[in-house]
């Protein structure tokens, strides 16, 4: 069976299978037209996926590292050879991102499969100094079994590949639960996995109930989740109740500091991307700006000038600012902006629905000044095209206010002062810090947050270790009776009043 956006399906490698559930339309957030249909997985469909995954994982975990790496390189080859045009167009029409970002995301996932293909060949188990003569003592790593991947809508393919590549490299089977908003593009992408063993990778559409069923199942053994803080906490609790390991990337409200030593032209240009990339729907978007008083007005002027040049429209056109994913997402942004303005903030740009785009869930890129740390827009995650600017007296106050948050995913600084750069890296309470170049990631470095922004890490060796468990092994190659084994010799006891005490 071939994949069609108009026919609800799920995927069990290498096949697409029809779904029995009620059809649900997928709506284009730019035009409000129907893109296709999806359905939520039934109990029987969940069972079929888990049965196939369990069967496939047994032989997969027994493969030697070189053979497993060959399979992952084959996936990378398939990604590089595939015509991903339809997948990219589906993503644009499902969730609204600009087409260049969609095609770039889904085409550039091959390197992570190559990275983990080779990383897993270097097991990195530890041989320890022995605690006993004649004993060989070491640690080895083994897969958990079947991993569940609960994905977000903003980077549905890239973030899925981050954790799936690591989990496969570790020896697990993978079940992907795509975001409802990007189910079609995720299903379309599944064809790149067809070179893998039958049943090893599956894609199971559905909502929260499907995710809950997968987490609760005794046939799943590890969970990767990316999404909101509230949902992340629920996933972490559900996993904890079952002693099931999880990786949680739960977003945040990232700060961006503009020092008095900032290169202002560069800072203004970088801030546009940091705040408005993907219409602000990036977990690491800069939402809270702390601008030192000495450069505040000049920075705001440059930032506003560049922001006003951004084009608003459908992601299939030549635009940078596309609609938010849903009416509810836009309503939250509007609530936070309106609240800030009511409490004294000023909209230098935006702050409204663009008059030329009254169909769809559009909102103008918005810069607010006069924001104070007690406003809701600073305390909550906005997840929209809004930069909330607080004026601060100096770098120390900027650091203090940046840390005054329940979140701790990423943080950015613009400065040409080397001391400030190092101070920021040391003092900012976040899992990632960028100086003069926000939003960058690296396959070889851990990605994840502090505080309410998450648990565990994706990417790097930590990303691989998230999907495997360690085992201590001690081998005595010259078996001998040990002196500390029972029974103890009498000489080990002391006598007191006719009684012996160890």
């Amino acid at each position: 069976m071939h994949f069609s956006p108009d026919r609800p399906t799920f995927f069990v490698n290498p096949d697409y299978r029809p779904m029995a559930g009620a059809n649900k339309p997928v709506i284009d957030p730019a035009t409000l037209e129907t893109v296709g249909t999806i359905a939520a997985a039934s109990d029987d469909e969940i069972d079929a996926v888990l049965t196939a995954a369990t069967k496939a994982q047994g032989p997969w975990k027994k493969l030697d590292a070189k053979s497993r790496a060959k399979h992952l390189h084959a996936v990378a080859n398939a990604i590089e050879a595939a015509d991903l045009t339809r997948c990219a167009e589906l993503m644009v029409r499902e969730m609204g991102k600009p087409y260049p970002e969609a095609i770039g995301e889904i085409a550039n996932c091959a390197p992570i499969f190559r990275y983990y293909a080779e990383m897993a060949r270097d097991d990195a188990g530890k041989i320890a100094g022995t605690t006993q003569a004649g004993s060989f003592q070491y640690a080895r790593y083994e897969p958990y079994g079947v991993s569940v991947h609960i994905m977000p809508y903003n980077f549905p393919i890239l973030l899925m590949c981050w954790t799936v590549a690591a989990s496969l490299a570790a020896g697990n089977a993978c079940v992907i639960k795509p975001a409802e908003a990007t189910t079609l593009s995720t299903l379309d992408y599944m064809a790149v996995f067809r070179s893998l063993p039958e049943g090893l990778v599956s894609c199971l559409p559905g909502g929260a109930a499907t995710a809950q069923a997968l987490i609760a199942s005794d046939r799943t053994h590890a969970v990767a989740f990316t999404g909101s803080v509230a949902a992340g906490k629920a996933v972490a609790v559900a996993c904890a109740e079952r002693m099931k390991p999880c990786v949680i990337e739960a977003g945040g409200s990232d700060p961006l500091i503009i020092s008095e030593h900032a290169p202002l032209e560069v800072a203004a240009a970088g801030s546009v991307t940091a705040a408005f990339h993907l219409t602000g729907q990036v977990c690491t978007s800069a939402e809270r700006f702390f601008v030192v008083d000495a450069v505040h007005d000049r920075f705001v002027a440059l930032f506003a000038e560049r922001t006003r040049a951004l084009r608003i429209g459908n992601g299939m056109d030549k635009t940078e600012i596309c609609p938010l994913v849903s009416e509810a997402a836009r309503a939250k942004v509007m609530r936070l902006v309106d609240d800030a303005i009511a409490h004294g903030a000023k909209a230098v740009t935006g702050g409204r629905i663009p008059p030329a785009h009254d169909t769809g869930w559009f909102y103008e890129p918005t810069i607010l000044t006069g924001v104070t740390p007690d406003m809701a827009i600073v305390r909550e995650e906005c997840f929209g095209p809004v930069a909330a600017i607080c004026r601060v007296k100096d770098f120390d106050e900027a650091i203090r206010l940046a840390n005054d948050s329940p979140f701790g995913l990423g943080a950015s600084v613009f400065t040409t002062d080397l001391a400030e750069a190092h101070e920021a890296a040391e003092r900012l309470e976040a899992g990632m810090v960028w100086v003069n170049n926000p939003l960058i990631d690296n396959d070889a470095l851990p990605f994840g947050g502090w505080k309410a922004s998450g648990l565990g890490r994706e990417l790097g060796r930590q990303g691989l270790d998230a999907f495997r468990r360690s085992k201590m092994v001690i081998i005595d190659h010259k078996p001998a009776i040990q002196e500390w084994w029972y029974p103890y010799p009498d000489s080990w006891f002391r006598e007191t009043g006719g009684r012996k005490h160890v």
Side-chain angles (χ1 to χ4, degrees), residues 13 60 63-81 109-122 160-174 189 192-197 200-201 464 467-468:
N13 191 51
W60 178 251
L63 279 184
D64 61 275
K66 184 177 180 180
S67 298
R68 204 180 291 159
K70 184 177 179 180
H71 277 288
L72 294 184
H73 282 298
V75 173
N77 293 340
I79 294 169
E80 292 171 344
C109 294
I112 193 64
F113 285 94
R114 300 202 190 282
Y115 174 80
Y116 279 122
E118 298 306 314
M119 172 68 76
R121 292 176 67 177
D122 175 15
M160 178 263 292
C161 288
W162 281 8
T163 58
V164 166
S167 186
L168 289 172
N172 301 287
C174 298
Y189 198 77
V192 305
F193 295 112
R194 280 180 160 156
S195 63
L196 292 175
L200 192 65
V201 173
L464 179 63
F467 294 100
R468 58 187 193 173

Side-chain angles (χ1 to χ4, degrees), residues 290-327:
F290 301 100
V291 184
V292 172
D293 180 71
V295 297
H296 177 277
D297 292 352
R298 176 60 177 157
F299 169 76
V300 170
L302 292 170
F303 187 20
E305 180 182 3
R306 287 184 173 272
T307 298
R308 293 188 186 102
L310 297 177
R311 295 164 290 189
I312 302 172
N314 192 312
M316 296 303 296
D317 300 328
K318 294 179 179 179
T319 58
E320 290 83 29
I321 303 298
C322 296
L324 285 105
V325 70
S326 67
E327 183 178 15

Side-chain angles (χ1 to χ4, degrees), residues 249-272:
E249 200 270 88
S253 179
D254 282 9
L256 189 152
I257 295 172
I258 304 294
S259 156
E260 64 179 306
H261 304 293
L264 292 183
E265 292 283 356
V266 174
S271 295
V272 169

Side-chain angles (χ1 to χ4, degrees), residues 79-80 82-93 95 97-110 154-158 185 188-189 278 315-316:
I79 294 169
E80 292 171 344
D83 179 1
L84 299 167
T85 303
R86 180 176 70 168
C87 184
E89 290 178 351
L90 282 171
M91 192 188 301
V92 173
R93 297 187 65 205
M95 60 77 60
K97 71 169 55 181
Y99 179 81
E101 295 175 22
I103 196 70
E105 172 185 345
I106 63 181
N108 289 318
C109 294
N154 55 352
F155 294 98
I157 306 301
L158 179 65
S185 53
D188 189 78
Y189 198 77
L278 196 57
M316 296 303 296

Side-chain angles (χ1 to χ4, degrees), residues 422-491:
H422 283 290
E423 281 276 307
E426 179 179 337
R427 294 169 59 191
L428 284 168
E429 297 171 358
M432 296 166 286
V433 175
W434 297 280
V435 179
N436 297 331
N437 194 358
L439 306 187
I440 298 298
D441 56 65
N442 183 325
D443 291 348
L445 294 176
F447 184 101
W450 290 13
K451 299 190 279 190
S453 289
L455 299 169
R457 291 294 181 268
E458 300 167 357
L459 302 181
R461 183 168 295 281
Q462 291 181 49
L464 179 63
D465 289 344
F467 294 100
R468 58 187 193 173
R469 48 193 167 185
S470 63
K471 177 183 289 182
M472 184 182 77
V473 180
I474 296 178
I475 300 174
D476 277 23
H477 57 279
K478 292 183 178 181
I481 295 174
Q482 303 295 322
E483 66 173 9
W484 60 272
W485 292 358
Y486 282 3
Y488 294 140
D490 286 349
S491 62

Side-chain angles (χ1 to χ4, degrees), residues 5-176:
D6 300 318
R7 186 175 53 217
T9 57
F10 67 110
F11 179 81
V12 181
N13 191 51
D15 299 318
Y16 291 97
R17 303 181 185 181
M19 298 188 75
N23 290 3
K24 179 179 180 180
V26 177
I27 304 300
D28 185 332
T31 65
L32 304 188
E33 296 172 353
T34 299
V35 178
T37 57
I38 59 174
S42 67
D43 291 344
D44 287 344
E45 289 159 353
I46 294 172
D47 179 71
V49 162
L50 295 180
T51 298
T54 302
K55 182 179 178 181
Q57 198 266 334
W60 178 251
K61 72 177 180 180
K62 294 177 182 177
L63 279 184
D64 61 275
K66 184 177 180 180
S67 298
R68 204 180 291 159
K70 184 177 179 180
H71 277 288
L72 294 184
H73 282 298
V75 173
N77 293 340
I79 294 169
E80 292 171 344
D83 179 1
L84 299 167
T85 303
R86 180 176 70 168
C87 184
E89 290 178 351
L90 282 171
M91 192 188 301
V92 173
R93 297 187 65 205
E94 283 182 298
M95 60 77 60
K97 71 169 55 181
Y99 179 81
E101 295 175 22
I103 196 70
E105 172 185 345
I106 63 181
N108 289 318
C109 294
I112 193 64
F113 285 94
R114 300 202 190 282
Y115 174 80
Y116 279 122
E118 298 306 314
M119 172 68 76
R121 292 176 67 177
D122 175 15
D123 185 69
K126 180 180 180 181
I127 298 175
T130 184
T131 60
Q132 192 165 292
S135 179
F136 178 44
Q137 304 178 355
Y138 66 99
R140 55 173 286 132
Y141 289 100
E142 297 181 7
Y144 283 107
V146 176
S147 59
V148 176
H149 304 257
I150 303 169
M151 305 318 306
Y153 68 81
N154 55 352
F155 294 98
I157 306 301
L158 179 65
L159 299 188
M160 178 263 292
C161 288
W162 281 8
T163 58
V164 166
S167 186
L168 289 172
N172 301 287
C174 298
V175 178
I176 298 153

